[in-house]
Amino acid sequence: MTKKYVYSFREGNAQMRNLLGGKGANLAEMVKIGLPVPMGFTITTEACLNYYEEGEKISEDILSQIFQALDDLEKEMGKKLGDNEDPLLVSVRSGAVISMPGMMDTILNLGLNDESVKGLAAKTGNERFAYDSYRRFIQMFGDVVMEVEHDKFESIINEVKQKKGITQDTEMDADGWKEVIELYKEKIKDETGRKFPQDPKEQLLMAVEAVFKSWNNQRAKVYRRINKIPDDLGTAVNVQTMVFGNKGDDSGTGVAFTRNPSTGEKEVYGEFLMNAQGEDVVAGIRTPQSIKQLKDIMPDVYEQFINVCKLLEKHYRDMQDIEFTIENGKLFMLQTRSGKRTAQAAVKIAVDMVKEGLINKDEAILRVPAGQVETLLHRRIDPNADVKPIAKGLPASPGAASGHVVFDPDEAEAMGNEGQRVILVRTETTPDDIHGIVAAQGVLTSRGGMTSHAAVVARGMGKPCVSGCEAVKIDYEKGEFTVGQLVVKKGDVISIDGSTGEVMIGEVPMIDPELSDEFNKILSWADEIRKLKVRANADTPHDAKVALEFGAEGIGLCRTEHMFMAQDRLPIVQQMIMAETKEEREEALAKLLPIQQEDFEGIFEVMEGLPVTVRLLDPPLHEFLPNPEELIVEIMELKAKGCSKELQAKQEMLKKVRALREMNPMLGLRGCRLGLLYPEIYVMQVKAILKAACNLTKKGIKVIPEIEIPLVNHELELKTLREIVEKTAEEVFEEEGTKVHYFIGTMIELPRACLTAEEIANFADFFSFGTNDLTQTTFGFSRDDAEGKILPHYVEQKILSDSPFIVLDRKGVGSLMKMATDKGRSVKPDLLIGICGEHGGEPSSVEFCHMIGLDFVSCSPFRVPIARLAAAQAKINHK
Amino acid sequence: MTKKYVYSFREGNAQMRNLLGGKGANLAEMVKIGLPVPMGFTITTEACLNYYEEGEKISEDILSQIFQALDDLEKEMGKKLGDNEDPLLVSVRSGAVISMPGMMDTILNLGLNDESVKGLAAKTGNERFAYDSYRRFIQMFGDVVMEVEHDKFESIINEVKQKKGITQDTEMDADGWKEVIELYKEKIKDETGRKFPQDPKEQLLMAVEAVFKSWNNQRAKVYRRINKIPDDLGTAVNVQTMVFGNKGDDSGTGVAFTRNPSTGEKEVYGEFLMNAQGEDVVAGIRTPQSIKQLKDIMPDVYEQFINVCKLLEKHYRDMQDIEFTIENGKLFMLQTRSGKRTAQAAVKIAVDMVKEGLINKDEAILRVPAGQVETLLHRRIDPNADVKPIAKGLPASPGAASGHVVFDPDEAEAMGNEGQRVILVRTETTPDDIHGIVAAQGVLTSRGGMTSHAAVVARGMGKPCVSGCEAVKIDYEKGEFTVGQLVVKKGDVISIDGSTGEVMIGEVPMIDPELSDEFNKILSWADEIRKLKVRANADTPHDAKVALEFGAEGIGLCRTEHMFMAQDRLPIVQQMIMAETKEEREEALAKLLPIQQEDFEGIFEVMEGLPVTVRLLDPPLHEFLPNPEELIVEIMELKAKGCSKELQAKQEMLKKVRALREMNPMLGLRGCRLGLLYPEIYVMQVKAILKAACNLTKKGIKVIPEIEIPLVNHELELKTLREIVEKTAEEVFEEEGTKVHYFIGTMIELPRACLTAEEIANFADFFSFGTNDLTQTTFGFSRDDAEGKILPHYVEQKILSDSPFIVLDRKGVGSLMKMATDKGRSVKPDLLIGICGEHGGEPSSVEFCHMIGLDFVSCSPFRVPIARLAAAQAKINHK
């Protein structure tokens, strides 16, 4: 038996996604459950891979299977492809395993030629329709298969329209289209040296090959890179009997979601265009009508459609994204798939479906992509602010953003890379604009609906989008848009609110989000299930409060250096650093002590009864001093002016800055190395922590201080500092006349600490992975340096799938973490182990932490909900 | 049975070193083989440890064992300790497991008191001797046991001498010493509030306790730190019947080596002083006579002594370091141990002893400490240079050095730490001066012999030393020394030649050493045995030649960046870096190509038939541009002058420097990251390498190029660059019309590369560990930054035993290397693996490389012999 490369829609089902692609598998599934689907067949992804293996050639075996399937289809439909009297017409569409909407090519109306078009005209009694269909086919085929530029066809239409004195395509009559068709064919001949093929089977094979090829076009490659889709999956090809939404006023086409993909409301949500083909809706060229209006236009079809939606949801147990066509009052289903949705919708749909008994809590938790939840936690416009919208479009992707107006996606990318915040403003967007959307804070389009390209892409990226804002008139050439009399120029700042569709001039006040009831419900389910504790990184009482509100179960990292940076402390800190002797240094430290103590009291009070990990001073001291180049300029200016006193002070500062300067400060005098060379600094900090704890304890407030030593490499570093901390603690307890139970632990953030964790554990009550530093040293990547040029290049070239500073590198950094965890627990089975790098709030990294058995993750307060959810998902996925 | 804490010399042997200390074990061994040894007993190291465990208290059990041993000794000698008529006198000496010469305390003549001194006087008929002995005892006991400053005693002697109108100790008569003794006892009473003890048993116990305590005195601690001796060994105490070298002109004392410890010549070599105690020789206060002169003075004793030396060498199968005393014409052996020796002597003695049939080749190889061999490879004064010595002392430690004259050891240390080269000039040195010797390039003393403190310490450290240079008159106060009319001030530069004893003004021309025949013999034996290949790191044809001469079997690291730094290339390299486009960059690279090609041709030609690993460009590009701070100053000056054209060029340079500047260049855009972002640079280099190889191949010269990609983290980095190298190679071979067999491999120098070595190995023909970078990232230590402040502090505090940049850290870095080796070989069993960091020439690191199964080590040319030897030692020690 040779391999089966072609499946009829009657042969497949939803489980065969890897072979048939998402679209093909779901078409087969819909056939299976009895829905009205135009019949057809699917050429498998394996055929596509075979095509590339054979050096871009469709093998004989596959060819014969395609013709056999065509033969079967023709028999079933009682028509022949391209027949002169009653032609069978088909669409040829790509269908990848993982949906890549709009990324690959589609050909409609295939089978038409100079003869069969007459048959179609006769059979439908609609000559204009037939020739319009034919010219659409030639245009698509010419563009996609024969690679003649799209614009060349558009200008032919414009020529003919001009000649005829008309402006709209709809005004064109059959003769007009016939003229266009002749010009199209000539143009193709001129451009390619080949005639437009009249043989329908030749058309079919050329189209199939074009779809195979489209797997590797530039757009598709970019999309896969952005969406982390492997390059070696291939695409299936669906060959399906054509139905026509453009057969007149009893025809139409549309797309719909079984629930609102933006809010999650339980209502069929979608849009359609009467007398149009599907591409017209998706491309956003005409602004479509709401699905609800279909009820008035074709009540029976509407009712049937609503029932299909219910059936599909029940069958798939998930919200569906549907494409349909109405041909002469008859409903056909062209596609169904799990609908993309905003985080807000994902949450509401998951909670609702549990209530409806469709899914259980575990499934509900898995239905909310933890990474996407971040969008729920983004800022929105302050409802109390006096906001004056200048225009209102469709609320296409929730959230709010401000930025400089940019019209060109390349420019948006360039400015974004420079760190500027931009809003991309376009008439409509196409897949070619993706890089601009990636770089922008948000997108504003003047045309297109909720399912237009801009809307879909922005939702996928969690960026605000206002679409179809028709009041906005864009003039690309002048580099401006107008709303009535108002002119907004490139570079001006605007704000958009993707939740309301409003557009404002300038920046507007925004506020932090609260969590919805549904989200709290999902999170409470997650809390019941997860094993990992979730703490927050917080340096101030305010941050600690926010963290508590988001459900943090402690503070996993309180960085004391931020306290040093504050305006009122920096001069004292500088005095401490400039000190020439230990005595001078201790004098400055004595001034800092009460201030630090107050900091800690504030945080401990908020976190009453919960653990608070305080990391002792970590950064290199020169971070607290001025930049040497600026000092040099000041000194040279002072010299010119002759200010000798100030000059001397600056020169001394420069001397110190230079003495402290390091070639690679990340690998220099910082962390516990500071504590070992200048123990008095750590002594002051320990005093401040424990005096604060004693004070609150006296007031009856329970404090659980965890003192953390950073950047430990060797057990003896920790042993030495542990002795200093313990000695200081004894002194404080003596002085305060009370005792507090406290812990001493260490950051594990250097490879050597991981490799010798069984030794370090002897002196540690807890470990906390500092995965930022651990990633830096494991990879030899300075984050500050690598994120600018190197990592973007690496991700683009697919050397790395993600920046390891965003998604934890399991093979390298992760294997060190596992080693450290196992080694640490080999000597202390109950050793408390957590993570406090930024990875602690990133879902894949949280999953890994669960897998290797950590006790907690700690992340920024706003990411605490993400971590809670991700931790539960990890537990469910690794049961 | 209680533990045995005290052993008679009749009970021990040389194998009991750990318990009895080196001195005690060897005294027992000498008794065993029938040599004349004053009888005594040893209190074990375990007793010392017990003393510390008990909170610095000698336990009852140990006390009673000591008294029992004393009782036995008294019976054997037929005398009683401190007897009034014929007192038994003893010495009490420390004796550590690992020799720490001069570091701990010794007490002689113990047992004398106001009564027994009379007995001694009567018995010896030498009242002066008796009272001199007594005052010496009080002085030592007062100093060491009762902690009265040495100077206080010296000034009493001076007082009495002044009163008596004499200048030399030898002129003092018995009454004088009696007066001194009374004053000593008063001084002790005054200073300590305690009387000098008259009870001999009390004296003994106090002395034993003082020796125990001396294990932890400051000098001993520093010595152990420098010599990596563990702190928890403890010292034994030897109590031995006194014999007197100061009993008159038929008495004397001396030290000797059975062969020359400086050259290795087979001749008894040593010094003695007539009518003196041992301390007088070692302290270098009087300049002693050569051992050969003893032949004339006491021919019988001399002959007996020579026979003892022969017997000891035969018995121990090694060169011995002996202490002896002649009492009234009778020879006594006080100590024997394996003699310290220069590397040159170690080599010659080892080779000679193989010839003599005393030891085998393996033993010979182990007898030459690989680390010490470096001194043989140090520079010496050019024999053809016109050198005018100003003075000549003893050639106390071979090698030559130049440096600024410094008199104070603290100052020497301070200047040494600042990177200055200094020569420490002292009348004589004491253990308190060690830090100064450590910091100096060499030592010059005006007093003391070949076995003086300065000489012994300098030889141990492999530093040049000229001792006993009496022409040098030092005036510490004026900060100068004079030689005749010549005045040399502090800070002036001098040179010394420790092989000849000559002292010169200013710097003198020096040359690199050649290898002696004996050394070549040892190395040839090492080559027969070792498994590790030894290559050299060499960047020029000259270096390659030197490497070949030293026995390198290939080049393990040829750094191309040094070629970029040369005067004639730097402007082109800067042009390449300043290029705004790929085209501009390629233009500059095209100019570099022929230059690089010439570089490689030169090296390949020298290394004909041997592998040459060429590393592609590694350092960050800004290393080739000027310093930004200097640029700013230049710019501000140009602005002031109004030179607009030059100003613009400098401003542009500054812009580029700033654009390229990185926070942590060690972790930034360097290594293969450069090759991935700017492939044209690597393409140029690969072309240069392979064109050079093709050219030589055409001339019939065999070339084995190994192209090495630095700083690889991830298999895909290597895969991508391997493809580029292979494509470039094909182009070169096409163009040149010939092919060369070449290899592509990678540096393994990042933790992630080690952790994923089984993936990286798929694209590598060889691995080479870059342990400098691997140490930097594993520890998170920037070498540039850590070696200044952090590592010295860590070594001082014993957090680390060595800088990990000097001695490979086996636990951290080493475990990553082992992992990488095992993982790499798991996919490619024959994978060639080496090391090319500086560790490749450090003996302990070489041993580790042998243990984990590497194929080669590569080090600087001068270290190649060390590596050859260390590799053989590793093989022998791990058979």
Side-chain angles (χ1 to χ4, degrees), chain A residues 693-714:
Chain A
C694 286
N695 256 1
L696 293 178
T697 303
K698 286 177 196 164
K699 292 185 195 159
I701 294 168
K702 185 167 184 201
V703 180
I704 310 178
E706 297 174 337
I707 295 172
E708 185 172 60
I709 314 282
L711 214 70
V712 164
N713 236 322
H714 195 289

Side-chain angles (χ1 to χ4, degrees), chain B residues 545-828:
Chain B
K545 267 189 213 115
V546 174
L548 267 188
E549 280 161 20
F550 279 117
E553 294 160 296
I555 287 179
L557 178 61
C558 172
R559 284 165 293 230
T560 52
E561 52 269 28
H562 292 183
M563 303 172 181
F564 277 32
M565 285 290 188
Q567 274 298 329
D568 54 333
R569 293 123 193 236
L570 196 55
I572 314 179
V573 174
Q574 290 183 346
Q575 185 193 336
M576 185 266 286
I577 295 168
M578 299 287 292
E580 290 295 329
T581 65
K582 194 178 171 182
E583 288 66 36
E584 277 176 49
R585 197 156 39 242
E586 281 176 338
E587 200 177 300
L589 286 166
K591 290 188 214 161
L592 281 174
L593 174 58
I595 305 177
Q596 280 252 297
Q597 183 177 337
E598 213 182 300
D599 292 331
F600 295 131
E601 284 190 26
I603 292 171
F604 288 151
E605 193 163 356
V606 171
M607 298 305 289
E608 175 167 10
L610 295 174
V612 176
T613 310
V614 181
R615 181 174 73 184
L616 301 184
L617 194 65
D618 182 55
L621 295 182
H622 58 71
E623 286 196 7
F624 301 99
L625 297 182
N627 172 296
E629 289 185 19
E630 284 166 19
L631 270 174
I632 288 176
V633 172
E634 283 180 53
I635 285 170
M636 296 206 55
E637 284 167 359
L638 286 171
K639 266 189 187 163
K641 282 189 214 152
C643 306
S644 72
K645 198 166 174 188
E646 207 182 332
L647 178 63
Q648 202 190 333
K650 293 282 177 193
Q651 278 173 330
E652 253 171 53
M653 180 71 89
L654 180 63
K655 209 172 133 195
K656 190 76 187 184
V657 169
R658 281 187 171 152
L660 286 175
R661 181 161 42 179
E662 295 177 309
M663 299 291 291
N664 299 283
M666 191 59 64
L667 307 179
L669 182 53
R670 51 173 288 234
C672 70
R673 300 162 193 177
L674 281 173
L676 287 162
L677 265 71
Y678 308 109
E680 55 277 15
I681 299 178
Y682 276 16
V683 166
M684 182 280 284
Q685 293 201 298
V686 171
K687 276 188 190 161
I689 294 165
L690 294 179
K691 276 171 172 279
C694 286
N695 257 0
L696 294 178
T697 303
K698 287 177 197 166
K699 293 185 196 160
I701 295 168
K702 183 162 187 209
V703 180
I704 309 177
E706 299 175 336
I707 295 173
E708 185 171 61
I709 315 281
L711 215 73
V712 162
N713 235 321
H714 195 290
E715 55 174 337
L716 294 182
E717 292 173 322
L718 188 57
K719 178 171 183 277
T720 308
L721 289 170
R722 187 180 183 101
E723 284 163 7
I724 290 172
V725 172
E726 284 172 345
K727 188 165 159 285
T728 307
E730 285 313 309
E731 286 166 18
V732 169
F733 296 157
E734 179 106 357
E735 202 179 310
E736 297 286 332
T738 185
K739 283 197 176 208
V740 175
H741 194 57
Y742 68 100
F743 301 90
I744 303 173
T746 179
M747 295 276 278
I748 300 287
E749 50 188 338
L750 294 170
R752 196 179 190 284
C754 297
L755 295 162
T756 62
E758 76 282 14
E759 296 180 347
I760 291 171
N762 288 319
F763 303 100
D765 303 327
F766 62 89
F767 279 179
S768 182
F769 287 106
T771 45
N772 296 344
D773 270 298
L774 190 58
T775 300
Q776 294 197 108
T777 44
T778 303
F779 275 89
F781 272 143
S782 160
R783 184 168 191 176
D784 289 327
D785 303 314
E787 285 197 330
K789 285 185 244 179
I790 306 169
L791 286 173
H793 183 85
Y794 271 43
V795 171
E796 196 174 310
Q797 298 295 310
K798 290 202 175 185
I799 291 171
L800 296 175
S801 62
D802 297 277
S803 161
F805 294 107
I806 296 171
V807 179
L808 187 85
D809 162 54
R810 296 187 182 193
K811 264 193 192 159
V813 178
S815 75
L816 283 174
M817 289 172 69
K818 176 151 186 6
M819 203 181 287
T821 303
D822 294 346
K823 281 171 179 256
R825 296 244 171 89
S826 74
V827 298
K828 280 195 184 163

Side-chain angles (χ1 to χ4, degrees), chain A residues 604-849:
Chain A
F604 287 150
E605 193 162 357
V606 171
M607 297 305 290
E608 176 167 11
L610 295 174
V612 176
T613 310
V614 182
R615 180 174 72 184
L616 301 184
L617 194 66
D618 182 53
L621 295 181
H622 59 70
E623 285 195 7
F624 301 100
L625 297 181
N627 171 296
E629 289 185 18
E630 284 166 19
L631 271 174
I632 288 175
V633 172
E634 284 179 51
I635 285 169
M636 296 206 54
E637 284 167 359
L638 287 170
K639 266 188 188 165
K641 280 190 216 153
C643 307
S644 73
K645 199 169 174 186
E646 209 181 329
L647 177 63
Q648 201 190 337
K650 293 281 177 193
Q651 278 173 328
E652 252 171 55
M653 181 70 89
L654 180 63
K655 208 172 133 196
K656 191 77 186 181
V657 168
R658 284 187 168 154
L660 286 174
R661 181 157 46 174
E662 294 177 307
M663 299 291 291
N664 300 282
M666 190 59 64
L667 307 179
L669 183 52
R670 50 172 290 234
C672 70
R673 299 163 193 177
L674 281 174
L676 287 162
L677 264 70
Y678 307 110
E680 54 276 15
I681 300 178
Y682 277 17
V683 166
M684 181 279 284
Q685 293 200 299
V686 171
K687 275 188 191 161
I689 294 166
L690 293 179
K691 275 172 173 281
C694 286
N695 256 1
L696 293 178
T697 303
K698 286 177 196 164
K699 292 185 195 159
I701 294 168
K702 185 167 184 201
V703 180
I704 310 178
E706 297 174 337
I707 295 172
E708 185 172 60
I709 314 282
L711 214 70
V712 164
N713 236 322
H714 195 289
E715 56 175 335
L716 294 182
E717 292 172 324
L718 187 58
K719 178 172 183 274
T720 307
L721 289 169
R722 185 177 184 105
E723 284 163 5
I724 290 172
V725 172
E726 283 173 344
K727 187 166 161 282
T728 307
E730 284 314 308
E731 287 167 17
V732 169
F733 296 157
E734 178 104 357
E735 201 181 311
E736 297 287 332
T738 184
K739 282 195 178 213
V740 175
H741 194 57
Y742 68 101
F743 301 89
I744 303 173
T746 180
M747 297 274 279
I748 299 287
E749 50 188 338
L750 293 170
R752 196 180 191 285
C754 297
L755 294 162
T756 61
E758 77 282 14
E759 296 180 346
I760 291 171
N762 287 320
F763 303 101
D765 302 329
F766 62 89
F767 279 0
S768 183
F769 287 106
T771 46
N772 296 345
D773 269 300
L774 190 58
T775 300
Q776 295 198 103
T777 44
T778 304
F779 275 88
F781 272 143
S782 160
R783 182 166 195 175
D784 288 327
D785 303 313
E787 283 196 331
K789 285 185 243 179
I790 306 169
L791 287 173
H793 182 86
Y794 271 43
V795 172
E796 195 174 308
Q797 297 295 310
K798 292 204 173 179
I799 291 170
L800 295 175
S801 62
D802 297 278
S803 161
F805 294 107
I806 296 170
V807 179
L808 187 85
D809 162 54
R810 295 187 183 193
K811 265 194 191 158
V813 178
S815 76
L816 282 174
M817 288 171 68
K818 173 146 187 9
M819 203 180 289
T821 304
D822 294 347
K823 281 171 179 256
R825 296 241 171 91
S826 74
V827 298
K828 281 194 184 165
D830 295 329
L831 188 68
L832 180 78
I833 308 183
I835 177 177
C836 61
E838 281 172 42
H839 297 102
E842 190 282 321
S844 153
S845 312
V846 172
E847 181 187 39
F848 184 76
C849 292

